[in-house]
Amino acid sequence: QGAKELWRAGDGMEEGEELQFDPSAYVMYHPLRAEWPALSFDIIRDDLGGNRTRFPLTMYAVAGSQADRAESNKLTIMKFSDL
């Protein structure tokens, strides 16, 4: 194993090269689980401040699902708090 390097989209990868998840790369990391994959995911603008740097943090987001049947699709509005 070589030295750890940051990979950015567009850097390209060698044949057979694999990315490895490193949780130490994140200041804050929270995995989410959804019933169905999301077609889109967006942050909802709020008036809590645009450059928040002190914990705990709060944010709002919205996602549209891609279910196996159209009638199972959902629009989900989420509030993440005490992050």
Side-chain angles (χ1 to χ4, degrees), residues 31-59:
L32 300 174
R33 292 196 179 118
E35 183 178 359
W36 296 102
L39 284 173
S40 60
F41 182 92
D42 207 354
I43 305 302
I44 299 172
R45 188 177 297 240
D46 58 36
D47 55 356
L48 297 175
N51 189 23
R52 296 170 237 186
T53 57
R54 293 177 41 206
F55 298 105
L57 300 174
T58 297
M59 67 171 260

Side-chain angles (χ1 to χ4, degrees), residues 5-83:
E5 294 182 32
L6 173 69
W7 182 86
R8 292 187 177 108
D11 284 353
M13 293 177 63
E14 298 293 325
E15 180 81 26
E17 185 177 16
E18 292 183 16
L19 298 176
Q20 299 295 319
F21 173 71
D22 181 1
S24 70
Y26 298 91
V27 173
M28 178 177 58
Y29 174 79
H30 293 277
L32 300 174
R33 292 196 179 118
E35 183 178 359
W36 296 102
L39 284 173
S40 60
F41 182 92
D42 207 354
I43 305 302
I44 299 172
R45 188 177 297 240
D46 58 36
D47 55 356
L48 297 175
N51 189 23
R52 296 170 237 186
T53 57
R54 293 177 41 206
F55 298 105
L57 300 174
T58 297
M59 67 171 260
Y60 300 88
V62 62
S65 68
Q66 182 181 7
D68 60 347
R69 296 185 327 270
E71 60 271 12
S72 296
N73 281 324
K74 296 178 182 167
L75 183 64
T76 305
I77 301 171
M78 300 164 273
K79 176 183 178 182
F80 302 92
S81 59
D82 283 333
L83 300 174

